[in-house]
Amino acid sequence: MATDGWLAETRISYDTVAASYADQVRDALDDKPYLRNALTLFADLVRATGGGPVADVGCGPGHITAYLRDLGVDAFGVDLSPGMIEVARREHPGLRFAVGSMTELPLADASVAGLLAFWSVIHIPDELIPAVFTHFRRALRPGGPLLVGFHVGEGSRLKTEGYGGHPMKVHVHRRRPDQVAERLREAGFTVEATLTLSPYAEVPGGVVFARR
């Protein structure tokens, strides 16, 4: 699959579902205590290194960005989809959001104190994960924490409908926590912790904490 092709399909898909997606995830953390605590720990780690701007990469409609700001973190969002950024700016007018792709991350070297990729690397093909993680490390300050959330499993599937029944065309990639941790180590990160959520669910969740 050509890089431009899957990126364009992903962008168009999320532009199409932006409003419906925002409606579905607005209160998504309410019944997820482990994710809330993971975000709280991430915010604590950012503060422990001196604080500073934190990038929510693949921020969607900005609900996680806003949650981090409520935790006292100077978070801003970046997303591939202009439609998602429009919704994020409308729903969270006091926060900063910008259009950008994690494959060409529009952040200066060592410019952020922390970086979050919360279920946003799930659309990145395996062969591009090393480059994306290298961008993450480049953008982080030395010692800065990284939190990556993803679908746990094997293989990929094509998602053709979602979020209110709208048509989509996005590939969803599932990965094992040890695979993600190894790719992070290869990119120069120190992996500090992994967490598997709902391990017996059809699609478990995975969280990896790492540090530049």
Side-chain angles (χ1 to χ4, degrees):
M1 190 187 329
T3 299
D4 289 346
W6 74 265
L7 272 178
E9 290 168 354
T10 303
R11 181 185 298 110
I12 292 168
S13 293
Y14 278 101
D15 282 348
T16 301
V17 304
S20 296
Y21 182 84
D23 288 341
Q24 291 193 26
V25 304
R26 189 171 290 110
D27 302 315
L29 291 174
D30 288 356
D31 62 348
K32 295 179 174 60
Y34 294 101
L35 286 184
R36 294 198 306 272
N37 279 279
L39 292 168
T40 299
L41 174 57
F42 174 72
D44 289 344
L45 293 172
V46 170
R47 282 190 289 269
T49 60
V54 170
D56 179 6
V57 180
C59 66
H63 57 301
I64 301 298
T65 320
Y67 191 84
L68 288 173
R69 285 299 293 265
D70 289 343
L71 292 173
V73 173
D74 181 20
F76 65 95
V78 179
D79 198 272
L80 175 69
S81 163
M84 285 290 188
I85 293 299
E86 181 182 352
V87 171
R89 288 170 173 165
R90 182 170 65 245
E91 298 208 351
H92 309 287
L95 303 186
R96 308 187 309 279
F97 296 98
V99 176
S101 171
M102 67 179 71
T103 59
E104 297 290 341
L105 192 62
L107 298 176
D109 294 359
S111 62
V112 295
L115 194 149
L116 175 82
F118 227 47
W119 276 262
S120 54
V121 298
I122 62 173
H123 301 306
I124 303 296
D126 286 342
E127 63 270 20
L128 294 181
I129 284 290
V132 166
F133 285 172
T134 297
H135 274 301
F136 289 176
R137 187 178 184 278
R138 174 188 60 75
L140 273 166
R141 297 174 183 170
L146 170 73
L147 178 55
V148 180
F150 52 95
H151 292 319
V152 171
E154 302 278 357
S156 305
R157 71 182 183 94
L158 177 63
K159 184 180 181 71
T160 59
E161 181 181 306
Y163 313 112
H166 297 286
M168 302 184 75
K169 189 177 181 182
V170 293
H171 288 82
V172 180
H173 306 284
R174 302 177 185 178
R175 299 179 173 100
R176 301 191 314 272
D178 63 300
Q179 290 175 315
V180 175
E182 182 60 25
R183 297 292 86 76
L184 286 169
R185 282 190 287 265
E186 290 172 352
F189 283 96
T190 298
V191 175
E192 296 188 336
T194 64
L195 173 67
T196 300
L197 306 166
S198 303
Y200 303 108
E202 180 181 356
V203 185
V207 172
V208 176
F209 284 87
R211 191 181 297 272
R212 176 179 173 181

